[in-house]
């Protein structure tokens, strides 16, 4: 008999897009509806969005569900069809623990999805239709994953990893990086990479006290956010996609798929990791490449400590460096940064970090956050869809389950 | 050359800064304002941009365990962003209370956010804002609690919550501003190629510098050329605002706290100037701009010596160690570097934000008719 593999499922804030029939009474008076059915509704507001046809406005509603936060639903009725577009915006860590400082396990993620299913099923005209809400639970389901955030934690006691990541460039993100004292962001359109001190971020949001922060000061979080085409590019594969309304969509994934995304993204980053493949190839030569190396070397100096790309951007603007020359400067600089990287190779870094994922824990929020177990049939169906395929499914064996 | 239609090169004058003002108050709104079918919303003297949408939060009173509904809404008047009222209620049984009023004088008076302001526009904007908000009140006498300072003493309910002031400076390039900071808020963070910000969202003072192009009059003809410029925005609230505006203005005690009640019309410009004078950092100003297309090593090394604390000797040694140049290249580099260092000037960054660099405006000296201005507002805010 084998046990459920205690695999990680690194998922943070995510969005599901689906359609379903919503109980008409909900759209008329959400507060009354929620009170009668004892649905944990924290707040609501009505919205108007421009319609796609004939400039018509569509009137919808946004609901903030669950007593302890983590779930927001936007409902936009589709005229004349009886169905509604539903956008489910949720954070499984916040649902379970009141905060997202933990890297979740597979069983915890399934528990969070089951809590979401139970809460949303009560909004439907027919609660038995709940399988339409979660992608991958039934064939021909309209539900798909619209966006995912995939986090990774590591220990960064001296702040050197964050400093290294400040020089990061990714081939799919063209916009310049932005830097703050404890974080950096590569702000792409359908792909974003952010690196920040998780403890500081939670303390700034008043989720950690000053005393608690001292225990988690070293935890660095690397987060990849994917949506639309980029989500499909990285996660699309056999068994993960389905055609919905003529478009390929992501309908399921496993923890191993997300770890593979992290592996790919980290491997594509330039200027952070020592890249063995690049070292084997001939380094770029010429006076521009040398100049780029010089700027990169200076960016690492303790007296300067400005990220390489910030210095390069300013020099190119002020010294009126043309585009081709700028690329040569950047190439030379990134090669030097890779050569001197403290982080080693990207695969090595990931393999070292994965088994020892540190959590940032808010004791106060975790003590406050409580959920009753959702119906077992919901839990079973979700675990069947989202558990690692190589594992035999034993519903009565629950490792690292929230309940 | 850029030709602006129907413009005339006017005399040089100190332009009025752009303003965004925030008032905190506490007055009851007519409850019909949030009823979609009420007759109030169709009155001709109410310039609602759209029907107010109410957001509801469901909470439980911990003492009585009673369910309470908290509601909040934003109401836009005249046009989106010109006057924005934020109103809320802590309980469904209570009427909506107006908590803040945000006013953009340029949008309110001219319909354009960047339209230059003239002398007297502050009085006109405050008077007009009062007139637009008055019909929405539950009690007409609360009209005196819309604009701060009109009611003195312990019965005051309105005060200035935030004042944001923007001035555009010409012949100043953002990329040449390096190591920018302010002693009260620290270094710039979150920079993008087109903007940098000193101070973060929650700070009492936030300074934003944005790269813009500025039309300036050409030398002798009635034409304009565009030059690089920087729009400097200073946002003040809380203690930082109180300390800088109280001289020449007035304060009031509300709920045991000292608040800013009024200020002189000229105060935003002088406060803005004072803050910009305090900015720290360097402005790299080459006497001669490099020709585009040639990337000079000596130029880059000289730039790094100006923009970073690294001595030029160390930078030179570092470059030589990396590039391993020949003797002749080394000799040429040394000569070129000396020339570049002579060419490069570094100035305190605050010097580029002096009044002499303010972008010209012909609106500054034009006096507008003072009709529709409440004489008490004109007197108080003069």
């Amino acid at each position: 008999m084998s046990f459920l593999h205690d695999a990680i499922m690194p998922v943070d804030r995510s969005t599901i897009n689906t359609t379903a029939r919503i109980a008409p009474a909900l759209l008329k008076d959400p507060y009354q509806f929620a009170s009668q059915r004892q649905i944990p509704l924290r707040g609501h507001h009505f919205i108007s969005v421009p319609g796609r046809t004939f400039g018509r406005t569509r009137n919808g509603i946004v609901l903030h569900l669950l007593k302890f936060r983590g779930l927001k639903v936007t409902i936009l009725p589709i005229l004349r069809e009886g169905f509604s577009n539903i956008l489910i915006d949720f954070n499984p860590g916040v649902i379970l623990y009141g905060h997202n400082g933990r890297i979740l396990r597979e069983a915890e993620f399934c528990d969070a999805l089951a809590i979401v299913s139970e809460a949303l099923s009560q909004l439907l005209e027919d609660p038995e239709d709940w399988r339409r809400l979660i992608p991958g639970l039934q064939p021909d389901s309209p539900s798909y994953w619209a966006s995912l955030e995939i986090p990774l934690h590591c220990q960064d006691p001296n702040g050197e990893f964050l400093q290294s990541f400040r020089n990061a460039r990714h081939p799919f993100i063209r916009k310049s990086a932005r830097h703050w004292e404890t974080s950096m962001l590569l702000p792409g359109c359908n792909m974003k990479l952010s690196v920040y001190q998780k403890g500081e971020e939670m303390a700034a949001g008043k989720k950690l006290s000053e005393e608690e922060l001292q225990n988690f000061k070293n935890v660095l979080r690397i987060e990849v956010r994917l949506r639309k085409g980029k989500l499909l590019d990285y996660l699309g594969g056999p068994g993960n996609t389905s055609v919905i309304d003529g478009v390929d969509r992501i309908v399921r994934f496993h923890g191993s798929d997300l770890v593979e995304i992290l592996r790919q993204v980290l491997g594509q980053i330039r200027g952070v990791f020592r890249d063995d493949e690049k070292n084997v190839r001939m380094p770029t030569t010429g006076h521009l490449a040398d100049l780029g190396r010089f700027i990169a070397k200076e960016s690492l100096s303790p007296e300067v400590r400005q990220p390489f790309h910030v210095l390069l951007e300013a020099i190119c603007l002020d010294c009126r460096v043309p585009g081709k020359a700028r690329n040569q400067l950047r190439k030379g600089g990134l090669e030097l940064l890779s050569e001197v990287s403290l982080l080693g190779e990207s695969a090595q870094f990931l393999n070292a970090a994965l088994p020892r994922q540190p959590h940032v824990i808010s004791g106060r929020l975790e003590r406050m956050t409580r959920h009753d177990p959702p119906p077992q049939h919901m839990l079973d169906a979700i675990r069947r869809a989202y558990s690692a395929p190589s594992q035999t499914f034993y519903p009565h064996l629950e490792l690292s389950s929230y309940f | 050359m850029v030709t602006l239609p129907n413009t005339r090169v006017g005399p040089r004058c100190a332009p009025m800064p752009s303003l965004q003002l925030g008032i905190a108050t506490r007055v009851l709104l007519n409850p019909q304002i949030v009823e979609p079918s009420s007759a109030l919303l169709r009155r001709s003297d109410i310039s609602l941009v759209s029907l107010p949408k109410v957001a509801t939060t469901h909470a439980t009173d911990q003492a009585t365990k009673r369910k309470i509904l908290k509601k909040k809404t934003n109401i836009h008047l005249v046009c989106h962003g010109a006057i924005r009222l934020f109103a809320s209620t802590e309980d469904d049984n209570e009427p909506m209370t107006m908590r803040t009023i945000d006013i953009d004088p340029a949008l309110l008076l001219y319909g354009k956010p960047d339209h230059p302001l003239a002398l007297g526009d502050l009085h006109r904007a405050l008077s007009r804002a009062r007139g637009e908000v008055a019909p929405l009140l539950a009690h007409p006498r609360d009209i005196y609690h819309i604009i701060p300072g009109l009611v003195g003493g312990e019965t005051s309910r309105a005060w200035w919550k935030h004042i944001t002031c923007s001035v555009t400076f010409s012949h100043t390039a953002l990329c040449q501003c390096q190591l920018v900071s302010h002693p009260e808020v620290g270094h710039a963070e979150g920079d993008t190629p087109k903007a940098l910000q000193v101070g973060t969202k929650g700070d009492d003072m936030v300074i934003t510098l944005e790269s813009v192009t500025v039309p300036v009059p050409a030398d002798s003809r009635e034409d304009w050329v565009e030059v690089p410029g920087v729009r400097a925005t200073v946002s003040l609230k809380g203690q930082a605002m109180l300390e800088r505006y109280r001289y020449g203005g007035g304060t009031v005690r509300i709920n045991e706290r000292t608040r800013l009640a009024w200020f002189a019309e000229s105060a935003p410009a002088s406060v803005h100037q004072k803050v910009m004078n305090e900015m720290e950092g360097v402005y790299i100003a080459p006497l001669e701009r490099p020709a585009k297309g040639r990337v000079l090593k000596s130029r880059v090394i000289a730039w790094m010596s100006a923009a970073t604390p690294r001595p030029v000797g160390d930078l030179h040694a570092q470059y030589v160690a990396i590039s391993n140049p020949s003797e002749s290249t080394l000799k040429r580099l040394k000569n070129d570097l000396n020339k570049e260092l002579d060419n490069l000037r570094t100035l305190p960054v605050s010097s580029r934000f002096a009044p002499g660099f303010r972008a010209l405006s012909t609106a500054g000296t034009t006096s507008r008719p003072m009709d529709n201005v409440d004489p008490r507002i004109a007197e108080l805010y003069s």
Side-chain angles (χ1 to χ4, degrees):
Chain A
M1 184 185 283
S2 15
F3 291 86
L4 265 178
H5 182 59
D6 205 15
I8 69 164
M9 182 74 106
V11 178
D12 197 35
R13 186 177 167 189
S14 308
T15 312
I16 293 171
N17 195 319
T18 186
T19 55
R21 288 183 190 275
I22 297 290
L26 169 68
L27 298 172
K28 288 191 181 126
D29 189 337
Y31 176 65
Q32 187 77 358
F33 182 89
S35 299
Q36 281 169 356
R37 296 196 182 190
Q38 296 189 318
I39 296 171
L41 181 63
R42 285 194 349 271
H44 72 273
H45 63 274
F46 293 95
I47 55 170
S48 299
V49 297
R52 283 181 202 163
T53 52
F54 308 112
R56 274 176 153 172
T57 306
R58 295 170 70 193
N59 295 319
I61 188 168
V62 176
L63 307 172
H64 297 270
L65 292 163
L66 297 183
K67 189 173 175 187
F68 301 107
R69 309 169 72 88
L71 178 59
K72 183 177 88 168
V73 179
T74 305
I75 300 171
L76 280 170
I78 304 169
L79 298 173
R80 293 198 299 269
E81 286 187 29
F83 281 90
S84 295
N85 281 127
I86 303 171
L87 206 63
I88 304 167
D89 204 330
F90 75 104
N91 191 317
V94 174
I95 288 174
L96 298 180
Y97 299 109
H99 65 83
N100 64 344
R102 287 177 177 267
I103 301 293
L104 298 183
R105 301 284 165 181
E106 194 178 80
E108 289 170 313
F109 174 72
C110 295
D111 293 339
L113 266 190
I115 292 170
V116 168
S117 305
E118 191 196 10
L120 296 183
S121 66
Q122 299 170 75
L123 308 181
L124 301 178
E125 199 175 52
D126 178 6
E128 292 305 311
D129 254 353
W130 69 271
R131 283 166 202 270
R132 288 178 74 97
L133 299 169
I134 306 298
L137 294 192
Q138 64 183 34
D140 300 329
S141 167
S143 181
Y144 63 90
W145 293 94
S147 74
L148 281 178
E149 279 185 11
I150 306 164
L152 175 76
H153 283 178
C154 64
Q155 293 283 2
D156 184 20
N158 301 320
E160 281 168 345
F161 288 5
L162 176 59
Q163 285 305 323
S164 296
F165 270 101
R166 289 193 188 282
N167 291 316
R169 291 293 292 184
H170 193 280
F172 299 153
I173 303 174
R174 290 174 182 265
K175 284 188 184 166
S176 306
R178 299 187 67 188
H179 302 273
W180 292 266
E181 199 182 321
T182 57
S183 64
M184 66 83 71
L185 170 70
L186 276 178
C189 185
N190 294 330
M191 178 175 177
K192 281 185 172 71
L193 178 74
S194 65
V195 181
Y196 57 97
Q197 293 174 352
K198 186 59 183 165
E200 295 284 349
E201 186 245 9
M202 283 177 63
K206 309 244 188 305
K207 291 177 187 164
L208 277 187
S209 63
E210 280 299 320
E211 293 79 28
E212 283 174 315
L213 174 59
Q214 300 313 310
N215 299 332
F216 304 112
K217 263 186 138 25
N218 299 334
V219 177
L220 191 70
R221 184 165 175 125
I222 302 158
E223 220 167 61
V224 177
R225 301 174 208 169
L226 300 169
R227 62 179 200 138
K228 291 188 179 178
K230 281 288 165 271
L231 182 63
L232 196 64
D233 287 344
Y234 278 103
L235 200 47
N240 284 357
T241 59
S242 189
V243 176
I244 298 172
D245 291 335
V247 182
D248 267 332
R249 302 288 193 188
I250 300 294
V251 294
R252 72 178 62 79
F253 53 84
H254 304 293
S256 54
D257 295 322
L258 304 182
V259 169
E260 181 56 30
I261 290 176
L262 287 170
R263 198 180 301 281
Q264 282 183 44
V265 170
L266 292 179
Q268 289 160 343
I269 286 175
R270 293 288 168 259
V272 176
F273 298 104
R274 210 173 303 139
D275 189 332
D276 256 358
E277 201 186 311
K278 263 206 171 354
N279 286 340
V280 169
R281 267 192 266 135
M282 291 290 289
T284 314
T285 54
H287 81 277
L288 288 174
D290 286 341
L291 208 46
R293 287 193 187 89
F294 161 71
I295 299 169
K297 188 79 180 163
E298 284 303 312
S299 75
L300 296 174
S301 155
E303 294 151 285
V304 175
R305 296 293 266 192
Q306 272 200 72
F308 165 63
H309 300 288
V310 171
L311 277 178
L312 183 66
E313 194 88 48
I315 288 169
C316 288
L317 272 172
D318 197 37
C319 298
R320 305 176 81 190
V321 175
K324 264 188 179 168
R326 188 184 297 216
N327 289 340
Q328 287 291 100
L329 290 174
R330 181 174 292 124
K331 222 171 168 182
L334 289 176
E335 280 177 8
L336 182 125
L337 291 171
S338 292
E339 280 162 27
V340 303
S341 168
L342 295 165
L343 273 71
E345 297 162 38
S346 60
Q348 207 176 26
F349 172 79
L350 183 66
N351 291 340
L354 268 178
R356 290 185 284 273
Q357 288 287 286
H359 301 305
V360 180
I361 295 170
S362 169
R364 175 182 64 90
L365 288 174
E366 292 196 9
R367 281 189 295 275
M368 269 174 45
T369 310
R370 286 285 176 270
H371 293 280
D372 293 328
Q376 191 63 42
H377 70 278
M378 284 185 180
L379 265 170
D380 290 345
I382 287 166
R383 283 175 182 168
R384 216 175 273 118
Y386 287 91
S387 294
S390 55
Q391 302 304 318
T392 312
F393 177 60
Y394 291 100
H396 57 286
L397 293 175
E398 298 168 7
L399 290 177
S400 300
S401 170
Y402 179 75
F403 300 107
Chain B
M1 290 291 204
V2 171
T3 303
L4 296 180
N6 300 324
T7 56
R8 181 170 67 78
V9 178
R12 225 175 232 279
C13 56
M16 298 288 291
S18 301
L19 293 175
Q20 304 221 345
L21 307 168
I23 296 167
T25 185
R26 201 178 172 88
V27 291
L28 293 179
L29 281 183
N30 189 322
Q32 290 182 42
I33 195 71
V34 291
E35 301 293 330
S37 53
S38 80
L40 178 74
L41 299 178
R42 289 189 289 275
R43 272 171 52 176
S44 58
D45 58 340
I46 293 178
S47 320
L48 272 178
V49 173
S50 58
L51 292 178
K53 287 196 169 40
V54 178
T56 309
T57 306
H58 311 187
T60 306
D61 186 313
Q62 291 304 315
T64 62
K65 302 296 177 198
R66 187 174 66 91
K67 287 262 188 239
I68 50 178
L69 293 181
K70 297 185 185 183
K71 296 190 176 182
K72 58 184 179 184
T73 185
N74 282 300
I75 302 169
H76 290 265
L77 300 174
V78 181
C79 66
H80 197 89
I83 302 173
R84 182 179 74 96
L85 313 179
F86 172 73
S88 68
T89 174
E90 293 295 308
D91 193 319
D92 200 32
N93 296 326
E94 293 172 7
M96 281 275 190
T97 303
M98 185 165 59
R99 310 270 177 190
T100 61
I101 306 169
D102 289 311
I103 303 169
D104 185 327
L107 256 182
L108 179 60
L109 299 177
Y110 302 104
K112 290 179 200 170
D114 295 330
H115 195 283
L117 295 177
L119 282 169
D121 275 350
L122 176 65
H123 308 150
R124 289 173 64 221
L126 295 183
S127 302
R128 183 156 176 206
R130 198 163 82 116
E132 295 286 350
V133 173
L136 306 179
L137 302 179
H139 307 298
R141 290 187 64 177
D142 281 343
I143 193 173
Y144 298 105
H145 297 290
I146 297 173
I147 303 299
L150 297 181
V151 173
E154 289 175 6
T155 53
S156 298
R157 278 187 255 161
W159 72 91
W160 288 101
K161 191 171 181 206
H162 70 81
I163 299 172
T164 298
C165 186
S166 296
V167 176
T168 302
F169 296 87
S170 61
H171 300 96
T172 302
L174 187 67
C175 62
Q176 287 169 244
C177 301
Q178 295 294 319
L179 305 173
V180 176
S181 68
H182 189 280
E184 283 182 32
V185 274
H187 288 272
E189 288 188 74
D191 301 2
T192 68
K194 291 204 179 293
L196 60 89
Q197 182 174 296
V198 183
T200 52
K201 203 175 166 187
D203 290 338
D204 281 358
M205 176 156 70
V206 176
I207 304 157
T208 310
L209 303 180
E210 292 169 273
S211 183
V212 295
T213 51
V214 182
V216 299
D219 286 330
S220 52
R221 291 173 287 170
E222 289 194 4
D223 267 333
W224 297 74
V225 290
E226 286 198 337
V227 298
V230 170
R231 181 183 302 125
T233 302
V234 176
S235 299
L236 290 169
K237 63 175 183 165
Q239 199 59 29
M241 181 183 69
L242 189 64
E243 278 167 14
R244 289 176 185 274
Y245 276 92
R246 69 193 308 168
Y247 303 106
T251 59
V252 66
R253 287 286 285 181
I254 298 176
N255 295 337
E256 296 174 14
R257 288 185 70 171
T258 304
R259 305 288 195 182
L260 183 69
W262 71 87
F263 54 89
E265 190 180 16
S266 59
S270 56
V271 166
H272 186 280
Q273 191 56 57
K274 195 157 183 295
V275 169
M276 299 313 292
N277 288 346
E278 294 162 358
M279 296 287 286
E280 292 171 350
V282 295
Y283 188 80
I284 301 173
L287 293 165
E288 193 188 302
R289 299 284 286 152
K292 197 176 178 189
R294 269 192 88 197
V295 184
L296 300 170
K297 317 176 244 307
S298 48
R299 170 76 61 156
V300 172
I301 297 171
W303 189 95
M304 294 279 287
S305 76
T308 71
R310 292 272 284 156
V312 66
D314 290 359
L315 290 166
H316 179 261
Q318 182 73 273
Y319 177 75
V320 166
I322 287 173
S323 63
N324 198 19
S326 63
E327 284 290 330
S328 57
T329 305
L330 198 59
K331 194 176 173 187
R332 203 166 49 243
L333 175 65
K334 212 170 175 180
N335 289 335
D336 289 345
L337 187 55
N338 288 330
K339 284 184 197 162
E340 290 296 338
L341 290 170
D342 289 338
N343 178 49
L344 216 59
R345 284 181 311 157
T346 55
L347 309 165
V349 78
S350 56
S351 64
R352 297 310 287 201
F353 300 111
F357 286 100
R358 285 197 187 177
L360 294 181
S361 164
T362 54
T365 55
T366 310
S367 296
R368 309 290 165 102
M370 293 300 275
D371 54 336
N372 301 326
V373 173
D374 186 317
R376 284 165 299 178
I377 289 176
E379 190 188 336
L380 193 60
Y381 288 87
S382 57

